C-alpha cells in the first residue's frame, strides 16, 4: 500500500498497522518511533470503533494509522476478525508488527521496572510470560514484521522500526541485513539465515583478532578468501530471487541474517559488502550488526 504522497494521487488507501507483541518487548518504544515517523498512533482502540476512525483519518488526510494492542485487553484480540472484515470492505489490508523478546529478557525487564506481568495473577512473573506467549502465538505467526528486541536497546529498537515503517516507495522491498554470532543465538526475526562459518576465522590471525569486519584489514582478509565471492553472489541472487514473490504476497520487508561464530569478523564484513552490492543496484537496504561489541 502506498500513501498519496508516494502514489502522486489523492485516492490512495489509508495504511493501517497493528502493533502488538509481548509485554516488555518494546511496544511503547515502537509506538513512539512510529509517531516520530509521522504515523497517527492509537493505543488499544476497540476494533468496533476502527471503521469510524478510518473515516475520520481519511477525511483529515491522514495516510498512516497505527493501532497498538496488548494482551491486557484480550477482548480486543477476539474482535480482530471483525476488524479485518471492516478494513477489507474499505480495500485495506492491515500490516502486523510483532515485538518479541526472550522470556529471560522480558522477566529481567519487568522485574527491573518492578511491574507485575498482566497475566501472572497469583503466580510467578515467568508464568504470566508463558500464558501471554501462548495467547499471542497465532498472531505472531501471521505478522508481517517480527522484531526481536532481546539484545536491542530502545534506540536500536526505534531504528529497526524506522527501517521498516518509514514511508515506502510503491512496490519497493526493504531489506535488512543483520550480522550475528551463532554463539549468541540465531535471530528469531530473520526471514533467511546464511552461515559464514565455512570461511577461515580471522580470530585465529593474531594481528586481526582485536579488529572487526568493519576495518579494512579484516574486510580484505574475509573477502579475499576464494569461497567468499561465490558465497556473496549466491546470497545476492537469493535475495533477488525471492524479492518479487515477497512483493506479490504483499510483504515489503525481508530480514536476512548473516552469521559467523561470534558476529565480529566474517558476518560483519560479508553483511556490509552484501549491503553495498544490493544498494548499488537500487534496492533499499540497511545493515545492522547485532553482536558487534558483545565479545
Amino acid at each position: 500500500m502506498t500513501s498519496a504522497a508516494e502514489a502522486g494521487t489523492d485516492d490512495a488507501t489509508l495504511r493501517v498497522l497493528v502493533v502488538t507483541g509481548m509485554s516488555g518487548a518494546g511496544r511503547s518504544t515502537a509506538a513512539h518511533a512510529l509517531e516520530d515517523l509521522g504515523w497517527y498512533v492509537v493505543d488499544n482502540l476497540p476494533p468496533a470503533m476502527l471503521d469510524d476512525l478510518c473515516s475520520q483519518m481519511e477525511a483529515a488526510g491522514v495516510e498512516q494509522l497505527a493501532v497498538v494492542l496488548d494482551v491486557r485487553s484480550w477482548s480486543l484480540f477476539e474482535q480482530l476478525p471483525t476488524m479485518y472484515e471492516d478494513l477489507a470492505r474499505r480495500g485495506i489490508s492491515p500490516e502486523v508488527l510483532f515485538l518479541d523478546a526472550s522470556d529471560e529478557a522480558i522477566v529481567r525487564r519487568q522485574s527491573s521496572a518492578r511491574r507485575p506481568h498482566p497475566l501472572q495473577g497469583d503466580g510467578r512473573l515467568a508464568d504470566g510470560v508463558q500464558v501471554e506467549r501462548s495467547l499471542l502465538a497465532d498472531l505472531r505467526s501471521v505478522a508481517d514484521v517480527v522484531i526481536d528486541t532481546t539484545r536491542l536497546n530502545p534506540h536500536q529498537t526505534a531504528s529497526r522500526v524506522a527501517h521498516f515503517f518509514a514511508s515506502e516507495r510503491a512496490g519497493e522491498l526493504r531489506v535488512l541485513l543483520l550480522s550475528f554470532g551463532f554463539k549468541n543465538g540465531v535471530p528469531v526475526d530473520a526471514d533467511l539465515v546464511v552461515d559464514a562459518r565455512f570461511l577461515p576465522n580471522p580470530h585465529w590471525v593474531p594481528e586481526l583478532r582485536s579488529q572487526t569486519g568493519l576495518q579494512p584489514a579484516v574486510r580484505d582478509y574475509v573477502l579475499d578468501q576464494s569461497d567468499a565471492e561465490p558465497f556473496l553472489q549466491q546470497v545476492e541472487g537469493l535475495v533477488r530471487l525471492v524479492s518479487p514473490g515477497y512483493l506479490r504476497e504483499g510483504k515489503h520487508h525481508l530480514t536476512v541474517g548473516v552469521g559467523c561464530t561470534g558476529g565480529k569478523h566474517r558476518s560483519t564484513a560479508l553483511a556490509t559488502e552484501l549491503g553495498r552490492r544490493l544498494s548499488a543496484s537500487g534496492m533499499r537496504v540497511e545493515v545492522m550488526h547485532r553482536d558487534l561489541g558483545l565479545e
Side-chain angles (χ1 to χ4, degrees), residues 99-289:
L99 281 300
D100 203 352
S102 69
D103 290 357
E104 293 79 8
I106 291 172
V107 169
R108 184 175 64 252
R109 292 170 187 175
Q110 296 289 89
S111 298
S112 177
R114 299 185 179 180
R115 296 174 59 189
H117 190 280
L119 296 179
Q120 76 179 77
D122 295 328
R124 300 178 306 142
L125 197 157
D127 297 330
V129 173
Q130 288 301 315
V131 172
E132 182 180 33
R133 195 171 292 285
S134 176
L135 289 173
L136 295 179
D138 289 343
L139 190 55
R140 187 189 189 284
S141 69
V142 300
D144 295 275
V145 175
V146 176
I147 297 179
D148 179 12
T149 68
T150 302
R151 293 182 175 85
L152 303 181
N153 60 39
H155 175 75
Q156 292 168 324
T157 298
S159 177
R160 190 78 66 87
V161 171
H163 169 73
F164 286 123
F165 295 105
S167 295
E168 296 171 283
R169 295 190 291 269
E172 181 179 62
L173 184 73
R174 286 177 179 267
V175 179
L176 174 64
L177 299 169
L178 183 67
S179 75
F180 71 95
F182 279 95
K183 73 176 185 179
N184 297 314
V186 177
V188 299
D189 47 354
D191 300 295
L192 302 172
V193 174
V194 295
D195 186 351
R197 289 177 293 182
F198 69 97
L199 294 172
N201 191 347
H203 175 81
W204 303 114
V205 180
E207 61 269 26
L208 300 180
R209 181 174 300 176
S210 64
Q211 301 184 52
T212 75
L214 300 180
Q215 294 171 288
V218 175
R219 179 196 63 209
D220 293 344
Y221 177 87
V222 173
L223 299 185
D224 285 346
Q225 300 300 320
S226 60
D227 292 331
E229 181 60 29
F231 176 79
L232 286 165
Q233 291 180 6
Q234 292 286 344
V235 177
E236 182 180 1
L238 179 60
V239 172
R240 296 189 185 285
L241 175 66
V242 303
S243 294
Y246 267 68
L247 292 172
R248 282 196 304 271
E249 294 300 312
K251 297 178 71 68
H252 293 267
H253 321 286
L254 172 63
T255 299
V256 181
V258 182
C260 64
T261 303
K264 179 179 180 179
H265 297 116
R266 292 164 291 182
S267 63
T268 303
L270 291 167
T272 301
E273 175 62 15
L274 186 59
R276 185 193 66 78
R277 296 184 182 198
L278 292 172
S279 295
S281 67
M283 297 190 77
R284 194 156 187 176
V285 179
E286 183 172 354
V287 180
M288 291 187 173
H289 305 295

